[in-house]
Amino acid sequence: MQIDEKLVQYLERLGRIALSADERAACEQDLQKILDYIDTLEELDTDGVEPASHSFPVANVLREDEVTNAPRQNDMLKNAPDSRDGCFAVPKTVE
């Protein structure tokens, strides 16, 4: 596939961007380099190569949930400046 000015102008419209003449020429060259590189990659022999979505194996690294130090209500309320009926007492914020 050959990248030309008409295609770059079409991509400008799709992307809703405006390029100057210099930017359009640079974009045309860059897109052509990308397509040339893809053509180079297509020459590789990939027979017998399994498709991969990651370069390394992905596994869940979750641990089991274990209760080690269950909080005790009375112990937690000892640190509160004020408590009532087993709850933290805070200043009123809404009238």
Side-chain angles (χ1 to χ4, degrees):
M1 179 176 187
Q2 196 65 20
I3 304 294
D4 58 359
E5 187 174 349
K6 185 178 178 181
L7 178 61
V8 174
Q9 289 173 350
Y10 174 70
L11 293 174
E12 275 184 83
R13 282 193 310 274
L14 282 179
R16 297 182 183 183
I17 59 174
L19 299 176
S20 67
D22 293 338
E23 291 171 329
R24 196 173 293 123
C27 184
E28 190 176 326
Q29 291 174 356
D30 290 344
L31 290 172
Q32 190 61 52
K33 286 179 186 177
I34 291 169
L35 289 181
D36 292 342
Y37 182 71
I38 291 172
D39 288 340
T40 303
L41 291 177
E42 287 180 352
E43 294 174 7
L44 294 174
D45 180 25
T46 56
D47 290 339
V49 177
E50 292 290 323
S53 61
H54 297 287
S55 58
F56 54 90
V58 177
N60 289 338
V61 288
L62 304 175
R63 61 177 167 74
E64 292 294 323
D65 289 336
E66 295 177 14
V67 178
T68 57
N69 222 3
R72 294 186 186 104
Q73 185 177 15
N74 292 333
D75 291 339
M76 290 191 309
L77 291 174
K78 285 180 188 175
N79 294 323
D82 190 16
S83 64
R84 275 185 239 127
D85 301 324
C87 299
F88 293 106
V90 296
K92 189 175 185 178
T93 57
V94 178
E95 299 273 339

